[in-house]
Amino acid sequence: MIETFEKVEDIEIRLLLEALYVRYHYDFRNYAMGSIKRRLRQAREQMGFATISALQEKVLHDETMLPRLLGYLTVQVSEMFRDPSYFRAIREKVVPHLKTYSSLKIWIAGCSCGEEVYSMAILFREEGLEDRTIFYATDINQDALQAAEAGVYDLDRVQLFTDNHRKSGGKSSLSDYYNTGYGRVSFDRSLRERVVFSDHSLVTDAVFGEMHLISCRNVMIYFDRPLQDRAVGLFKDSLARKAFLGIGAKESLRFSAHADAFKEFVREEKIYQRVGL
């Protein structure tokens, strides 16, 4: 009986993912099925539906349900200067190369609620590169993009942010960049003056041209292999010659169809450099 239920559930999930693509043009069909199944089960239970099919019917006929479902399907978990050694490597190994350019384009793909965007903007300000840089911050979740653009976070997260900033080699106090009030912190609007926030899907959308650094961390881990290859191909085609790609600690380019387009630059931090062109 349990096996039959799981088989029916698998059918329901495939139908729901197809419906989301046809109705709303959000394509989760090639995401890792184990992860998608866990998230949809959680959505079904917490939103009060007996079956995935019942959830599908509601989402198809009530557009206001879509943002709620996307909140489950797109994981919005991050922190400022997450994995401080990654940002230290950017600061100490990548920035010296970036300083040779008169203008820079940086793409934070899958920017979630903006923690990595502000981390990168602060790092570039501290390294004297902010004025020559345009940052592109993209995600498929509109609510996350709005939160990123607002730059407001819970006050109880600030100690972690501060510790990470210090460990990343920060050259100032993180408190220089935000104001506090009502249990929240609001990051200085000047940090996003050179940021373009945009809806962009690694599954269906096209390249961003001539980037000097792309940081896409802990996004591809949720993709199946063909979709990972599509994303890496997108990054390959979006990077300038000798530009850099940073990915998550549990991700790799080793088995990618586009692996030959990159060389390891900082192996332990999963930072690669574009070759060829």
Side-chain angles (χ1 to χ4, degrees), residues 8-275:
V8 171
E9 185 183 57
D10 288 345
I11 294 170
E12 290 180 305
I13 288 172
R14 288 198 298 271
L15 290 172
L16 172 57
L17 298 182
E18 188 68 29
L20 285 174
Y21 177 65
V22 174
R23 175 76 167 87
Y24 296 110
H25 310 294
Y26 283 97
D27 194 350
F28 295 96
R29 295 173 300 175
N30 292 310
Y31 278 51
M33 184 51 65
S35 175
I36 284 289
K37 184 179 293 188
R38 287 192 300 271
R39 296 186 215 172
L40 284 176
R41 283 175 175 172
Q42 184 182 33
R44 176 185 62 76
E45 292 169 2
Q46 295 186 0
M47 294 166 72
F49 293 99
T51 64
I52 298 293
S53 294
L55 172 59
Q56 175 183 311
E57 181 180 12
K58 185 65 174 177
V59 171
L60 280 177
H61 295 281
D62 183 354
E63 294 183 5
T64 65
M65 293 292 293
L66 179 64
R68 292 184 61 190
L69 182 57
L70 289 178
Y72 290 94
L73 292 175
T74 58
V75 178
Q76 306 298 328
V77 179
S78 190
E79 60 196 46
M80 290 195 68
F81 296 95
R82 181 181 183 182
D83 302 321
S85 57
Y86 172 81
F87 286 92
R88 182 178 284 275
I90 295 289
R91 188 187 299 272
E92 296 178 354
K93 304 290 179 63
V94 176
V95 161
H97 291 266
L98 299 182
K99 286 185 174 180
T100 65
Y101 294 93
S102 59
S103 63
L104 294 165
K105 292 182 179 179
I106 311 300
W107 180 12
I108 293 95
C111 71
S112 187
C113 293
E115 293 92 338
E116 186 164 342
V117 179
Y118 293 101
S119 302
M120 205 68 78
I122 289 169
L123 189 157
F124 274 56
R125 179 175 293 185
E126 291 177 341
E127 296 299 328
L129 289 175
E130 182 186 28
D131 289 345
R132 69 177 90 167
T133 303
I134 296 177
F135 301 92
Y136 296 88
T138 66
D139 204 279
I140 65 171
N141 188 318
Q142 289 289 346
D143 289 344
L145 284 171
Q146 289 177 11
E149 195 161 3
V152 178
Y153 305 100
D154 290 337
L155 184 60
D156 60 10
R157 303 180 69 196
V158 170
Q159 187 58 57
L160 174 61
F161 293 173
T162 300
D163 291 344
N164 286 350
H165 175 243
R166 176 180 51 80
K167 293 175 183 176
S168 76
K171 296 181 177 179
S172 57
S173 171
L174 190 65
S175 62
D176 293 340
Y177 302 106
Y178 63 78
N179 296 308
T180 63
Y182 304 101
R184 309 274 275 171
V185 296
S186 177
F187 277 84
D188 195 320
R189 293 189 62 83
S190 66
L191 290 170
R192 48 190 181 273
E193 285 180 355
R194 302 188 67 80
V195 181
V196 177
F197 294 94
S198 178
D199 183 345
H200 182 277
S201 171
L202 298 176
V203 180
T204 58
D205 290 333
V207 301
F208 278 37
E210 292 298 301
M211 294 292 154
H212 299 92
L213 167 65
I214 297 174
S215 187
C216 181
R217 306 171 65 223
N218 308 306
V219 175
M220 292 191 294
I221 195 172
Y222 299 109
F223 296 171
D224 67 9
R225 181 56 53 78
L227 189 50
Q228 289 178 9
D229 282 342
R230 185 192 193 280
V232 175
L234 197 65
F235 299 147
K236 178 194 72 173
D237 294 339
S238 298
L239 285 168
R241 183 172 179 269
K242 294 187 176 181
F244 301 92
L245 170 65
I247 61 177
K250 295 181 180 180
E251 298 167 336
S252 175
L253 301 188
R254 183 176 300 174
F255 303 108
S256 170
H258 306 284
D260 291 345
F262 298 90
K263 69 175 183 180
E264 290 181 328
F265 187 74
V266 185
R267 176 182 296 180
E268 59 274 20
E269 299 303 333
K270 300 296 179 72
I271 298 173
Y272 298 84
Q273 188 172 34
R274 178 77 163 94
V275 297

